[in-house]
Amino acid sequence: MGSRDTNGKPARQNGLFQSRSRTPPRHPPMVPLASLLAYELKNEIVENPLLRCGLALQPRKGEDFALVKTDCQRIPGDGSSTFAVFGIFDGHNGSAAAIHTKENLLNDVMSALNPHLKRDDWLAALPRALVAGFVKTDKEFQAKEQTSGTTVTFVVIDGWTITVACVGDSRCVLDSQGVVTDLTVDHRLDCNEEERDRVRAAGGEVGRLNIVGGAEIGPLRVWPGGLCLSRSIGDTDVGEFIVPVPHVKQIKLSSQGGRLIIASDGVWDALDSEKAAKCCRGLSQPEVAAKHIVKETLRTRGLRDDTTCLVVDLLPPSNVEPPPPVIKKKSTIYRMFHWKQKQTPPPQPTYDGIPVMEELFEEGSAMLSERLGYEASINGGNGMFLCAICQCDIEANDGISVHAGAFFSGKSRPLDGPFLCVSCKWKQDAMEGKQPSRGGVAG
């Protein structure tokens, strides 16, 4: 049989625990098993992280916007339900879409969530609510018949759980324990073959800009419109196959903490994820770190675009050192008579094998039928159904299933929820190439 710990449970062979043997090892002293058990127990009921954030930006066209909101509440008035939201909105062809999204996206996401859900259920429902919120924000902006668009990287932090939703080419990067991880996917046509195939299947044309003589220059673009991205909010003039359906990733971060770098493409066109993370390591203040990333961006590439960077640190409460005390300078004579040799503090134990994060959810499909599931949303107050996107009341016989396709299609499930109102169903069909696109959406 394998070795057992002090509670009679099998001891782990890798990670935090070492197998127990009768002869103690002769290499440097190890952390006692009892301490490791206490460490694991402590992390089962771990305190929420301390959040510190810093913002730096260098405008050129004035189309980048950032959102920092650390006092959101799942249950209004309940301080224990607090969560934080951070966002980067990189506009193009004007700033209207970026401003509208910054002002409305959070409310649109929250409207798709039941405020009475317990925390774990709320977090499990959040990815679907983000999809509904992004599409609703896009639909409402397109009803204004303005032609600007925006990329969005939207980060929700609740305890140690981080949920990131994105459209476009802004990016969120996690740097934890020396490991750099992209939490977003770039929706640039140049680097995303799957998105090129989807746009073509939905009726769009993908190609480079043609100049005199038939030569092609520049990045791949969607025609009509000439957009380099396959997903965004807004962009009414480009076509509905440029979708607002976000890639969503949800993780649980190790209680060792980490740093998030959320930035517009002004940063990522100059620095890759690894370089951006490494260039600000050792800078404990997130605002200083954000400024340093922007400075390194300008040094590498110059100011060619709006450059915006948010740095968010998630710190273990027990590891946060209090600010150093103010020490009055002593006279030379005082120091001569009160000199004491400094003692080197004992080294602190390190715990190898602790995972950086646990992945809870990831999905990037542009199909609403795959992103909204099979549950019908019912308003308990009057028994009517709610549209899964705009949350308006719809009669059961008026709602159209998000899974409804062609009548003879084997994949069509017209009786399964969730249900959409007529205008939201039209938008779904247009995004998926099931009907001709048009400028604007019916309200």
Side-chain angles (χ1 to χ4, degrees):
M1 292 181 62
S3 58
R4 293 183 175 268
D5 63 17
T6 54
N7 295 320
K9 296 180 180 179
R12 297 185 188 176
Q13 302 301 314
N14 298 301
L16 289 178
F17 295 94
Q18 302 290 334
S19 59
R20 302 179 66 194
S21 60
R22 295 181 181 179
T23 304
R26 297 189 178 183
H27 47 70
M30 300 181 64
V31 180
L33 180 59
S35 299
L36 294 176
L37 288 170
Y39 174 85
E40 185 177 70
L41 180 61
K42 175 184 176 182
N43 280 273
E44 289 178 357
I45 311 175
V46 70
E47 297 178 69
N48 286 336
L50 293 178
L51 293 183
R52 292 178 179 173
C53 64
L55 172 65
L57 66 159
Q58 187 67 50
R60 182 176 181 183
K61 295 180 288 185
E63 295 174 341
D64 272 13
F65 296 87
L67 173 67
V68 176
K69 191 170 177 60
T70 59
D71 57 353
C72 307
Q73 294 178 341
R74 298 191 309 274
I75 305 172
D78 183 356
S80 65
S81 68
T82 300
F83 65 96
V85 171
F86 304 91
I88 292 288
F89 312 91
D90 180 3
H92 47 264
N93 196 22
S95 61
I99 294 172
H100 176 88
T101 305
K102 176 184 175 181
E103 294 177 348
N104 293 279
L105 180 57
L106 176 58
N107 288 335
D108 290 342
V109 172
M110 293 298 292
S111 70
L113 286 162
N114 185 338
H116 303 296
L117 291 174
K118 294 182 179 180
R119 179 177 179 271
D120 288 348
D121 295 333
W122 188 88
L123 287 171
L126 181 57
R128 184 168 63 178
L130 284 163
V131 172
F134 270 63
V135 177
K136 180 180 180 182
T137 300
D138 177 75
K139 178 188 172 187
E140 291 173 344
F141 178 74
Q142 290 204 8
K144 296 181 177 182
E145 298 185 351
Q146 300 186 46
T147 57
S148 69
T150 185
T151 73
V152 182
T153 296
F154 196 73
V155 181
V156 180
I157 301 177
D158 190 329
W160 294 100
T161 302
I162 302 171
T163 310
V164 184
C166 69
V167 291
D169 57 0
S170 298
R171 193 182 303 172
C172 177
V173 173
L174 169 66
D175 184 14
S176 178
Q177 303 179 53
V179 179
V180 179
T181 307
D182 287 349
L183 300 184
T184 51
V185 169
D186 286 352
H187 295 124
R188 277 191 179 182
L189 292 164
D190 263 335
C191 62
N192 196 320
E193 181 180 0
E194 186 177 350
E195 284 295 284
R196 295 197 295 269
D197 294 340
R198 181 191 62 78
V199 169
R200 290 188 178 108
E205 295 183 11
V206 178
R208 304 184 193 279
L209 183 65
N210 288 320
I211 59 174
V212 178
E216 296 183 345
I217 62 171
L220 288 174
R221 300 175 184 273
V222 176
W223 305 99
L227 191 65
C228 301
L229 308 171
S230 61
R231 302 196 194 190
S232 69
I233 286 180
D235 291 308
T236 310
D237 56 329
V238 178
E240 293 294 332
F241 37 78
I242 303 299
V243 300
V245 182
H247 173 275
V248 180
K249 187 179 183 73
Q250 186 177 75
I251 66 166
K252 185 173 183 181
L253 184 63
S254 159
S255 58
Q256 297 296 294
R259 166 169 284 176
L260 295 175
I261 301 172
I262 313 164
S264 63
D265 68 333
V267 169
W268 307 120
D269 285 343
L271 309 176
D272 60 29
S273 301
E274 194 84 24
K275 187 171 183 179
K278 286 183 176 179
C279 80
C280 66
R281 284 180 185 163
L283 301 176
S284 59
Q285 297 299 320
E287 184 172 358
V288 175
K291 289 180 178 178
H292 189 72
I293 291 172
V294 170
K295 181 179 179 180
E296 184 67 17
T297 297
L298 299 181
R299 186 191 68 80
T300 302
R301 191 170 180 263
L303 184 60
R304 299 186 183 184
D305 195 2
D306 293 329
T307 304
T308 306
C309 181
L310 258 173
V311 171
V312 183
D313 288 341
L314 291 86
L315 305 174
S318 58
N319 290 356
V320 178
E321 298 180 359
V326 178
I327 302 176
K328 295 182 180 180
K329 188 175 182 180
K330 306 295 183 181
S331 68
T332 303
I333 297 176
Y334 180 92
R335 292 198 302 271
M336 289 176 61
F337 284 96
H338 294 83
W339 177 85
K340 183 183 292 185
Q341 186 175 0
K342 295 181 180 179
Q343 296 181 350
T344 303
Q348 297 297 314
T350 59
Y351 304 98
D352 296 329
I354 300 173
V356 170
M357 66 180 189
E358 176 188 357
E359 185 174 305
L360 304 178
F361 177 92
E362 182 169 17
E363 179 58 67
S365 170
M367 302 297 174
L368 286 182
S369 57
E370 297 177 10
R371 303 301 297 276
L372 297 179
Y374 286 92
E375 297 179 8
S377 180
I378 301 177
N379 184 340
N382 55 21
M384 299 178 72
F385 287 94
L386 294 177
C387 172
I389 298 298
C390 68
Q391 304 301 307
C392 68
D393 289 330
I394 51 177
E395 296 284 357
N397 57 350
D398 291 335
I400 307 170
S401 171
V402 72
H403 305 287
F407 184 78
F408 295 104
S409 171
K411 296 182 179 179
S412 179
R413 303 179 67 172
L415 301 180
D416 291 336
F419 298 95
L420 305 178
C421 64
V422 173
S423 63
C424 285
K425 180 58 181 174
W426 180 93
K427 184 166 184 64
Q428 177 197 7
D429 290 347
M431 288 192 298
E432 297 178 2
K434 298 174 183 176
Q435 64 180 41
S437 178
R438 68 180 183 183
V441 177

